[in-house]
Amino acid sequence: MALTHEPIAPYHSAQDALRVLESVARHPAGAAAAGLAREAGLDPGRLPALLRMLRREGYVEQTVDGAWITGDTLRRLTSAHDHERALREKLQHTLDRLRDTVGAAVYISRYEDGEVRVTQYAAGPSAPAVNEWVDFRSSAHATAVGKSLLTQLDHDARRDHLSRHRMARLTSRTITSDKLLLSRLESQPPTVPVLDLQEYAVGTVCAAVPITAGASVGCLAVSLPVERAHRLRRAADTLSRHAAPVLLSLAL
């Protein structure tokens, strides 16, 4: 199964959204859309879609006279009090919505202290999560999550990770050659989802897209039973389109 994608730029959307939020924050009494576009240096035609996304995510609100003000979600995320809890709740809400949109389990994973960690996920009866039969920390070579995170590291960091985790053969499709894996990671286009086509577990396919925010390396992933593999491309596209709100939450 080949996935060929046109470049998708969730980073640009998140950066533009941050600029809009900064402009909104400078006007506690509210700001008109035209003024926000001018202050943020954006094409006015681009602003409506950004404002729709920001309002849907709770970052901005619109007053009765049409002005834009800071939303409750933004106030909670930017507060020093209980920031981590607010961020976790916000990300979980986003993951739950994504699960329902794509009809599959979705995951957020981070590369922290030299290890792969799935930090949050959303699953359900009709969207089962992957059975973690081998610890994700030791199977980065075989999972879409792990490979996506490794692609975002430099060459030396990738080699360091592989030196600490033996590349065990988990299925007949698992890559166990570090030379081959490193070559594939090096050639992975940043805008194309990383795949796991039954490399980690027979009967499961996955795709992951990067969500790096600053120095923090992360990814957004989806898993499907192999009998639904025909839906993987559409699910990966949906992840890419919805990566911007996740990036924005992590950046705040």
Side-chain angles (χ1 to χ4, degrees):
M1 179 186 301
L3 293 187
T4 55
H5 291 245
E6 291 300 316
I8 300 172
Y11 306 103
H12 296 313
S13 294
Q15 289 168 354
D16 289 346
L18 277 172
R19 287 154 63 191
V20 172
L21 289 179
E22 289 169 355
S23 296
V24 171
R26 286 195 288 267
H27 301 277
L36 292 175
R38 186 168 53 253
E39 283 191 17
L42 296 175
D43 179 343
R46 173 123 174 76
L47 190 63
L50 287 171
L51 287 173
R52 283 195 299 272
M53 184 268 283
L54 291 171
R55 181 164 57 180
R56 184 183 70 238
E57 300 296 324
Y59 294 128
V60 298
E61 298 170 3
Q62 195 170 24
T63 64
V64 292
D65 60 357
W68 293 94
I69 59 174
T70 298
D72 181 61
T73 298
L74 181 61
R75 288 191 290 272
R76 287 191 290 114
L77 282 179
T78 55
S79 169
H81 175 67
D82 222 6
H83 168 78
E84 289 302 318
R85 178 180 177 181
L87 175 59
R88 188 168 186 82
E89 290 176 351
K90 175 59 183 150
L91 290 175
Q92 192 61 50
H93 177 74
T94 301
L95 288 178
D96 290 346
R97 189 173 63 225
L98 264 177
R99 175 202 58 205
D100 296 341
T101 299
V102 302
V106 292
Y107 314 77
I108 290 178
S109 185
R110 311 290 286 277
Y111 195 77
E112 299 174 335
D113 301 322
E115 300 294 349
V116 171
R117 304 184 190 281
V118 175
T119 54
Q120 286 181 248
Y121 71 95
S126 61
V130 174
N131 175 33
E132 189 179 354
W133 75 284
V134 175
D135 194 320
F136 290 140
R137 292 174 297 179
S138 60
S139 55
H141 65 292
T143 65
V145 159
K147 289 184 287 184
S148 178
L149 295 174
L150 291 176
T151 61
Q152 299 173 65
L153 305 180
D154 62 28
H155 182 77
D156 290 343
R158 292 172 192 160
R159 291 198 67 88
D160 172 72
H161 182 91
L162 296 179
S163 73
R164 292 183 285 107
H165 296 284
R166 185 175 67 86
M167 295 174 61
R169 185 175 297 282
L170 306 182
T171 77
S172 63
R173 294 173 177 265
T174 307
I175 297 173
T176 57
S177 162
D178 59 350
K179 182 177 180 181
L180 176 57
L181 180 64
L182 287 168
S183 174
R184 292 194 177 180
L185 294 176
E186 193 72 34
S187 61
Q188 172 71 29
T191 57
V192 177
V194 179
L195 304 181
D196 159 17
L197 303 179
Q198 301 190 87
E199 294 173 53
Y200 174 76
V202 173
T204 300
V205 296
C206 305
V209 296
I211 52 169
T212 301
S216 176
V217 171
C219 71
L220 194 59
V222 61
S223 67
L224 287 164
V226 69
E227 59 267 23
R228 302 182 195 170
H230 61 282
R231 293 178 46 211
L232 189 61
R233 174 172 181 163
R234 180 175 294 179
D237 283 335
T238 302
L239 284 189
S240 294
R241 288 196 306 272
H242 289 79
V246 178
L247 272 167
L248 188 57
S249 296
L250 294 173
L252 289 169

